[in-house]
Amino acid sequence: MSVVALKGVLLIAASPQVVAVAEPPRVPAPVVAPALEEGEELAAQQAGDITVTARRREENVQQVPIAVSVVSGATLDAQGTYNISRLTQLTPTLQFYSQNPRNTFINIRGIGAPFGLTNDGFEQGVGIYIDDVYYNRIASATLDFVDVERVETLRGPQGTLYGKNTTAGAINITTRAPSFEFEGKAEVTAGNLDFKQGKVSVSGPLSETLAARLSATVTDRRGTVYNTTTDQYVQSQDSVGVRGSLLWKVKPDLDITVSGDWNLQDPICCAFSYGSYGSTQRAANRQFPALVGYFPGYAVPSTNPYDRLTDVDAELRARNEHGGLSARLVWELDEANTITSISAWRYWDWTPANDRDYTGLPIYTKVNNPTKQNQYTQEFRFNHQGSGFDLTLGLFGFHQKIRTSGIQETGPAASRWLLNPTSALSNNPAVLNNVVAINDIRLDNTSLAVFGKLNWEVTDRFTVSPGIRVNYDRKDGLYDSVVTGTASDGTRQIVSAVPGSPYYNDSWTAQQRGIQASQYFEPRFSAWNLSYDLNLRYELAEDINLYATYSRAFKTGGINLNGVPANANGAPILAAATIEPEQVDHFEGGIKTQFWDRRVTFNVTGFWTDIKDFQANVSNGQFGTVRGYLANAEKVRSRGFEADFSVRPSARFNAYASGAFTDAEYVTFCDAPPPPELSGGMTLPATGPCSFSGMPSAPGTPGGNSPPFVDASGQDLPGVSKWAFSWGAEANAEGNLFGESGQFYFGYDGSYRSDWSSNPTPISSSQSSPMPR
């Protein structure tokens, strides 16, 4: 799959005040600290300065010895980039995948989160921070941007300063602070597919020491896929968000900001149109063409994926509500010392409804796992500015409760679709009709950390920046799935996987157990880890900086909360209930340059990341059964280079281009899940963690032999494009509209990503017929 996105826009901006500042450039955008006055801001933009807080202090991005991309709020507005998913068009090494808000993954340079499996028991490797508040679940950070000052994307491990588990990077979003001068802004956007979006923001003083800001956004768009069963479009957008903040200047050296937000996304989602059919190793009478043939008169609405048609018959819903409160205190003890405290509570309420079979047949009538989360964080930071050095010390605490109460229910078409056609029971709809799984899934997640970062100016040109973080994590989980079905005598019974249990040998219950059985276990994990890094910066000449970084980072271990394989006695195998922490060794070096009076910026970065015990999605038979769950791949590597270029010859024109090459692969992963074309046949017996007996059939052989796992060593990680580019330009001119001064501007932006695989294990020619090990 390759992706190309192009965009052109002609907009008119009007304001009741004369503003001589042109729209900032794209990437990198000249963002300045909010405290600058208008004249200082203009001078900074013309000088090409970009002030960021990537290292918990304000500094020029060209002097920060890490790879960081910065996009201003004005650029986001001009481009129509209104959420994180669209940020990928500006940041080539940022990948965003979302089937729905809960099944959302963000990766940087190919790493960050396992691809293709939802599980609350593991952590994301890309941290999301909004006004210094850590958002643990990506689903709770899918809000539309409004009143954003800037977005900083930090690439590479950031564990010594940012929360926890930021082994791939961090996205640091800063919103606009309340203003002591009245200001307001309103924006309305319309587009194809009935796209409508409105944003409004107002800020001003309430007294000499109090200022407030209130903003709101509404987005609505018709769906992109038409459901012939319900006569409606699905995959729509329907969101609303409100954010408010109050700034209290207690005294000249003490500020307290209290913020709150509420966001609701309630689209008709999610379904897929028919793409194509690919043969697997299942018996011919269990392949898609045969299965559809068992239901006379049924056919998919279209075999052309570009018709964008579906016929799902179960209820669809993807209601995603989240919000929270935070309090930020900044106390300047004196000119050299500052204390910062950030306290926050956030909640997430996920209410889905799915059609798991994605057809118009009543196979799965309900697959709903609503989730509720409460998250509490507290961070203290102490900043000291000394002579030739500055120091940041901090404490971080995090606690999260997740409760999922789900249901899965099969319908009258399930027997014919899911059971072996050679079984006489496959013709009896009652066997699998109304098999119900009630799931109770719980997670209590606690993390504590102490951290520090030193920036030591050894000479006027050479700066050494070591950092350290000690982290403690504890996870307590519960997985309790109670499955009930109708036995052959017509009574409702628990479908148990334990031999000797009541109705274990009943013919109907045995068939139901092959689809899903009850399971209960309580996984636990706790561990300490130590992260550290060393950044070096050398000023080769004015506006030319060399830098190098080494980082040792960890992503905490996890627990499986989607069920685990069972042994011969039907008991869950607890060895598969936990996953080991990831250990990351990261090397990076680059050069940051500016010339032509800082009108031109050109940066180049090279990186190499090794990960031991990479947390991956597996589906193998090494425990005696085949089931998908999280486990550890022995070693993964990501390497490549990135380049950013921007030019601003005048305040009336700017252009940019960014590119990245990413080579991310499994170095050692001998028990990876088989790709679809090698799955579904007679599973060969596993003889060890990475060995099995027998010879697998050629890929896509109906009724063939399937390996319990494959050796994916040397293969690409899923979801990673080797090449990615973004580019654009903008021209503007002063003008008047309805008697008000403003500017006309025209912008063009494009992006490209090369092919990538969506399978956890892509198949290669060298593995067309994997040999036993």
Side-chain angles (χ1 to χ4, degrees):
M1 179 183 297
S2 60
V3 180
V4 179
L6 300 175
K7 182 179 178 182
V9 62
L10 173 63
L11 297 175
I12 301 173
S15 169
Q17 296 179 340
V18 177
V19 180
V21 181
E23 176 67 16
R26 299 296 198 257
V27 179
V31 183
V32 294
L36 294 181
E37 298 295 333
E38 181 177 303
E40 295 173 321
E41 182 174 349
L42 176 58
Q45 288 183 348
Q46 291 174 338
D49 293 335
I50 311 170
T51 299
V52 297
T53 55
R55 295 195 297 170
R56 304 303 196 187
R57 62 191 182 94
E58 292 184 358
E59 53 189 334
N60 189 310
V61 69
Q62 289 297 108
Q63 297 178 354
V64 178
I66 58 176
V68 54
S69 299
V70 187
V71 184
S72 71
T75 295
L76 297 173
D77 290 341
Q79 270 207 329
T81 302
Y82 56 88
N83 55 31
I84 291 177
S85 68
R86 304 193 67 170
L87 193 63
T88 59
Q89 296 179 9
L90 294 175
T91 308
T93 52
L94 177 67
Q95 295 99 23
F96 181 95
Y97 314 100
S98 182
Q99 178 180 335
N100 57 45
R102 186 168 188 258
N103 293 333
T104 298
F105 307 90
I106 296 181
N107 286 343
I108 294 177
R109 296 171 173 172
I111 55 179
F115 191 87
L117 181 67
T118 299
N119 194 318
D120 288 326
F122 75 94
E123 305 291 340
Q124 298 279 344
V126 178
I128 306 293
Y129 299 83
I130 300 180
D131 292 334
D132 283 347
V133 175
Y134 175 55
Y135 284 52
N136 181 258
R137 295 260 73 88
I138 298 298
S140 66
T142 56
L143 70 163
D144 290 349
F145 295 148
V146 60
D147 255 356
V148 169
E149 180 70 26
R150 64 181 176 270
V151 179
E152 304 166 11
T153 303
L154 290 71
R155 306 190 292 274
Q158 308 296 329
T160 59
L161 281 180
Y162 279 84
K164 57 173 191 161
N165 305 309
T166 51
T167 53
I171 299 176
N172 185 31
I173 301 173
T174 302
T175 65
R176 293 182 62 83
S179 169
F180 279 92
E181 293 185 2
F182 179 79
E183 60 183 38
K185 178 181 179 181
E187 175 184 322
V188 176
T189 305
N192 64 335
L193 301 178
D194 297 330
F195 179 85
K196 300 177 289 293
Q197 186 177 74
K199 296 181 180 181
V200 63
S201 175
V202 62
S203 182
L206 301 180
S207 70
E208 291 184 354
T209 58
L210 287 176
R213 178 175 292 274
L214 181 64
S215 56
T217 177
V218 178
T219 302
D220 182 76
R221 193 208 66 198
R222 194 203 75 190
T224 56
V225 177
Y226 183 73
N227 188 349
T228 59
T229 298
T230 60
D231 190 29
Q232 65 180 168
Y233 284 96
V234 299
Q235 313 296 73
S236 63
Q237 292 186 6
D238 186 358
S239 62
V240 59
V242 178
R243 183 179 184 86
S245 55
L246 182 67
L247 170 61
W248 178 24
K249 298 189 77 65
V250 182
K251 52 183 181 177
D253 56 5
L254 177 60
D255 292 349
I256 298 177
T257 303
V258 179
S259 302
D261 66 283
W262 175 83
N263 304 270
L264 175 64
Q265 298 165 319
D266 195 12
I268 304 172
C269 184
C270 298
F272 299 103
S273 56
Y274 179 94
S276 63
Y277 160 68
S279 180
T280 68
Q281 305 278 42
R282 295 181 65 135
N285 61 1
R286 303 195 72 181
Q287 303 262 0
F288 183 78
L291 293 174
V292 173
Y294 298 145
F295 300 91
Y298 176 76
V300 295
S302 175
T303 57
N304 183 354
Y306 297 102
D307 288 341
R308 298 182 179 272
L309 297 179
T310 187
D311 62 346
V312 295
D313 58 332
E315 180 187 7
L316 297 180
R317 184 173 62 249
R319 189 180 189 277
N320 185 40
E321 180 183 347
H322 51 96
L325 298 171
S326 66
R328 175 188 172 92
L329 180 150
V330 180
W331 184 11
E332 297 182 0
L333 301 177
D334 50 43
E335 293 183 355
N337 300 291
T338 302
I339 292 177
T340 303
S341 169
I342 304 104
S343 309
W345 160 76
R346 297 206 60 80
Y347 78 96
W348 172 40
D349 189 352
W350 166 241
T351 310
N354 301 289
D355 190 332
R356 183 176 174 183
D357 56 82
Y358 297 107
T359 71
L361 298 169
I363 302 168
Y364 287 97
T365 55
K366 290 182 181 179
V367 184
N368 311 333
N369 285 289
T371 295
K372 295 182 181 295
Q373 169 188 302
N374 279 279
Q375 168 191 310
Y376 305 87
T377 56
Q378 175 63 56
E379 183 168 353
F380 295 103
R381 289 200 304 267
F382 171 75
N383 291 82
H384 173 74
Q385 181 69 51
S387 177
F389 75 95
D390 62 78
L391 175 68
T392 299
L393 300 174
L395 299 172
F396 176 78
F398 166 87
H399 183 68
Q400 172 193 50
K401 287 182 177 291
I402 299 180
R403 299 293 184 264
T404 301
S405 302
I407 182 172
Q408 177 175 290
E409 182 179 298
T410 53
S415 296
R416 202 71 181 98
W417 190 274
L418 299 175
L419 297 182
N420 193 324
T422 60
S423 169
L425 293 179
S426 68
N427 290 313
N428 186 345
V431 176
L432 291 189
N433 187 34
N434 199 31
V435 174
V436 179
I438 302 296
N439 303 318
D440 182 7
I441 305 172
R442 306 179 188 180
L443 173 67
D444 292 305
N445 185 7
T446 300
S447 180
L448 301 172
V450 56
F451 59 90
K453 186 73 172 181
L454 171 68
N455 297 296
W456 175 32
E457 296 177 359
V458 181
T459 70
D460 291 342
R461 293 181 177 271
F462 183 48
T463 302
V464 177
S465 303
I468 191 170
R469 187 184 196 92
V470 179
N471 214 87
Y472 172 76
D473 292 282
R474 178 183 175 91
K475 289 181 169 68
D476 296 287
L478 178 144
Y479 179 84
D480 184 10
S481 179
V482 179
V483 183
T484 58
T486 303
S488 59
D489 62 5
T491 62
R492 294 291 292 177
Q493 300 294 334
I494 292 178
V495 181
S496 175
V498 180
S501 60
Y503 287 86
Y504 182 84
N505 294 318
D506 181 80
S507 59
W508 287 27
T509 304
Q511 296 291 339
Q512 295 161 7
R513 184 169 59 250
I515 304 303
Q516 185 168 358
S518 301
Q519 190 174 84
Y520 179 93
F521 62 96
E522 296 183 73
R524 289 183 173 85
F525 173 87
S526 63
W528 291 86
N529 65 62
L530 175 67
S531 298
Y532 49 89
D533 60 22
L534 178 65
N535 307 112
L536 305 176
R537 181 180 70 88
Y538 182 74
E539 187 178 5
L540 191 64
E542 186 177 2
D543 295 330
I544 300 178
N545 288 278
L546 300 174
Y547 74 93
T549 295
Y550 168 72
S551 298
R552 164 62 64 87
F554 287 86
K555 185 165 75 171
T556 184
I559 56 180
N560 273 296
L561 291 177
N562 282 355
V564 295
N567 61 23
N569 295 320
I573 299 177
L574 297 183
T578 59
I579 51 176
E580 294 298 315
E582 290 183 357
Q583 177 181 304
V584 181
D585 288 293
H586 175 75
F587 304 87
E588 184 170 321
I591 183 171
K592 296 187 175 185
T593 68
Q594 289 184 308
F595 47 94
W596 193 15
D597 293 330
R598 296 187 178 179
R599 294 183 178 94
V600 175
T601 299
F602 181 61
N603 300 332
V604 179
T605 301
F607 62 89
W608 187 299
T609 304
D610 288 323
I611 304 178
K612 294 181 180 180
D613 292 324
F614 180 77
Q615 295 169 2
N617 176 23
V618 304
S619 177
N620 62 38
Q622 63 175 304
F623 291 119
T625 187
V626 178
R627 182 166 187 165
Y629 56 99
L630 286 171
N632 295 103
E634 186 174 346
K635 189 175 182 180
V636 160
R637 183 212 65 219
S638 177
R639 62 185 178 185
F641 60 85
E642 303 157 343
D644 297 300
F645 171 82
S646 67
V647 58
R648 187 183 183 88
S650 73
R652 298 287 161 246
F653 178 80
N654 66 79
Y656 73 94
S658 300
F661 170 78
T662 306
D663 178 24
E665 67 172 33
Y666 298 110
V667 176
T668 307
F669 191 15
C670 64
D671 59 347
E677 56 268 42
L678 284 174
S679 304
M682 178 66 68
T683 302
L684 298 171
T687 58
C690 291
S691 61
F692 59 90
S693 62
M695 180 65 67
S697 303
T701 302
N705 294 327
S706 293
F709 39 75
V710 297
D711 187 351
S713 303
Q715 294 198 43
D716 293 339
L717 290 179
V720 184
S721 297
K722 282 191 178 295
W723 293 98
F725 301 95
S726 62
W727 62 90
E730 178 190 293
N732 64 77
E734 294 182 351
N736 292 277
L737 180 66
F738 306 129
E740 301 292 347
S741 61
Q743 63 179 224
F744 297 85
Y745 59 97
F746 176 82
Y748 169 87
D749 302 279
S751 62
Y752 166 83
R753 292 184 183 273
S754 61
D755 295 348
W756 50 274
S757 172
S758 60
N759 288 330
T761 306
I763 191 168
S764 67
S765 57
S766 63
Q767 280 198 316
S768 58
S769 296
M771 299 292 290
R773 294 170 59 92

